[in-house]
Structure formats: structure tokens, C-alpha cells
Amino acid sequence: MSALLAGKRLLITGIITDASIAFSVAKLAQENGATVVLTGFGRLSLVERIAKRLPEPAPVIELDVTNAEHLAGLADKVREHVDGLDGVVHSIGFAPQSCLGGGFLDAPWEDVATAVQVSTYSYKSLATACLPLMGRGGSVVGLTFDATKAWPVYDWMGVAKAGLESASRYLALHLGEQGIRSNLVSAGPLRTMAAKSIPGFEQFEEAWAERAPLGWDLQDQEPAARAVCALLSDWFPATTGEIVHVDGGYHALGA
């Protein structure tokens, strides 16, 4: 397995703490031979400090996915560290508090628009910003949370994730002729920084712990990270537009 990503050059977004799924992806990717470049937003010094906990310290590029200048300059920033990209990991999501926790009927459009731009449209924005660096065999992988159901307290983030899942399929369609794949990993609930920001998220935790056929460890990001790394590798050359569930089997059950 140590050669799974040998020689791959990866751009990984979304590391906030070492409990982030993206951190586990970066760690596993390096352990499997990849060269990793990270992006950060806001508290860059925090991301840089977390990056030093990886097996190999990784460079951090500032990226606000709602900032057109950041996106336009991303390829040049990446070229300062690697000469191209074989894979991109989208681990970005945000919704204002009005969009979560049961406020679905009251959230104003301005807040919903923010959630959709950051959590959905950015998947396309990130991919197209990286296209000048990618060639045939490239892979874009994003993270979602099962959007086939309406979850208590998830509200407009659930809508944004549904859009993300659709956007991935359309990206698969439009990038396929260039030999670039687009897939998502649908992870079960994990105690990440993002999860802690959702009021009432413990409802998900209780359900998964009780019902997932394989069981579910709320603290273990590695299963989801392994799936991301597999989709970044050459082991899925003809798979695109797919959603791989890493949730202990919970999604397969009836209500």
C-alpha cells in the first residue's frame, strides 16, 4: 500500500485541526508516496501549525473560494511548490448559523446564498481553477453527507450538499473528455470542527452509533480518508460521478 499514491501531486483543502478529515487524507497520502500542498482560509497560522504535524511538513496557500482573485491566482501559487497536480481534494463547507439547527423556514436568502456558494459552487470553482495543472488521469474528490434524506438540524447545509452531489456528477460529465474524474465520499458523522458548529448534531451521533451495521466510531477519520485516497489513486480509472459511502452501512438501512 505504500506505493498507492507514489509520485502523485495533490492539493488538499479544508484542514482546520488534526481532527479534520482533510488532515487524515493528507497524512495517509504522504504515507502512501504523495507530495501534498495545502490551502487554508482565515487563520493561516493555525493551518501552518497543524501542517507541521504531518509526516512531512506541507506548504500552505491562502485560498478563499469566494474570492475570484484567489481562484485566478491559485495555479501559479501551486506551481511554486509542484509542477502540476494529479488530484484535488475539496473539503470545504460553511453555512451561517441561521441555516442550521432547525431554522430552515426562517433562514434569509443572503445566508442561504453564502452556504451554497461556499459549500456547493466552490467544488466547480476549485476544480476549474486547478484545471491548468491537471492532465488525463487526474482526480477531483469531495466530501459530502448523505443528501438523499432530510436530516434534523442540517437544514440548508443538506440542500447545499445535495447541490454538491449534483455538481460532482456534472463535473464528471464535463471533465470526462479530458480524462479527469470527479467523485465524492459520503462519510458518517464525525466529531470535527464543522460538526461541532451544528446545533443538535448529537442526534446524528446517537443514531449512527446504534444502527450502523458495521458500527461507527465518531472519532475515527481514517476510514473516510482511506476512501478519498483510493479515489485519488489509479485504482479507480473508470469510476466517475460516484458517491462512495463510508458510514458503517447506515445509508443502506430503511427508516
Side-chain angles (χ1 to χ4, degrees):
M1 290 294 289
S2 62
L4 182 69
L5 295 172
K8 297 291 187 185
R9 302 152 300 174
L10 307 177
L11 183 70
I12 299 176
T13 68
I15 289 181
I16 302 174
T17 71
D18 54 7
S20 303
I21 297 174
F23 179 87
S24 190
V25 172
K27 179 176 180 290
L28 281 172
Q30 287 186 340
E31 290 172 349
N32 281 274
T35 299
V36 169
V37 178
L38 308 177
T39 73
F41 170 67
R43 299 168 63 186
L44 275 189
S45 60
L46 174 61
V47 180
E48 290 168 346
R49 188 161 65 248
I50 297 300
K52 292 176 182 177
R53 299 179 187 176
L54 291 168
E56 295 289 336
V60 179
I61 297 170
E62 182 178 14
L63 177 63
D64 175 355
V65 288
T66 69
N67 185 314
E69 291 183 4
H70 281 200
L71 290 165
L74 181 60
D76 287 339
K77 292 287 187 183
V78 172
R79 285 193 187 98
E80 294 176 9
H81 305 286
V82 291
D83 58 359
L85 287 175
D86 303 291
V88 177
V89 178
H90 179 281
S91 182
I92 299 169
F94 170 77
Q97 282 299 303
S98 66
C99 295
L100 300 162
F104 183 84
L105 298 178
D106 301 316
W109 165 243
E110 292 77 11
D111 288 353
V112 173
T114 296
V116 171
Q117 182 178 14
V118 177
S119 308
T120 307
Y121 186 75
S122 67
Y123 188 70
K124 189 282 301 185
S125 299
L126 179 66
T128 53
C130 293
L131 273 183
L133 300 167
M134 299 183 74
R136 299 193 71 83
S139 177
V140 182
V141 182
L143 289 160
T144 188
F145 185 78
D146 189 359
T148 63
K149 303 174 181 65
W151 300 102
V153 311
Y154 209 47
D155 295 338
W156 285 102
M157 182 57 85
V159 176
K161 289 297 188 183
L164 173 66
E165 294 178 5
S166 182
S168 178
R169 290 187 287 270
Y170 277 96
L171 206 63
L173 170 66
H174 289 284
L175 296 186
E177 63 184 19
Q178 299 179 48
I180 297 172
R181 295 166 284 138
S182 172
N183 294 288
L184 300 178
V185 170
S186 181
L190 293 162
R191 287 182 179 160
T192 61
M193 185 75 74
K196 291 176 182 177
S197 68
I198 302 174
F201 196 76
E202 64 275 1
Q203 295 179 50
F204 296 115
E205 300 177 345
E206 294 165 2
W208 250 266
E210 294 172 0
R211 299 191 62 209
L214 292 176
W216 187 248
D217 186 344
L218 298 160
Q219 309 282 2
D220 188 4
Q221 290 80 22
E222 187 166 319
R226 282 176 175 247
V228 172
C229 287
L231 290 168
L232 289 167
S233 78
D234 296 329
W235 282 88
F236 285 87
T239 298
T240 193
E242 188 59 86
I243 300 174
V244 177
H245 290 82
V246 182
D247 65 353
Y250 185 95
H251 75 283
L253 305 184

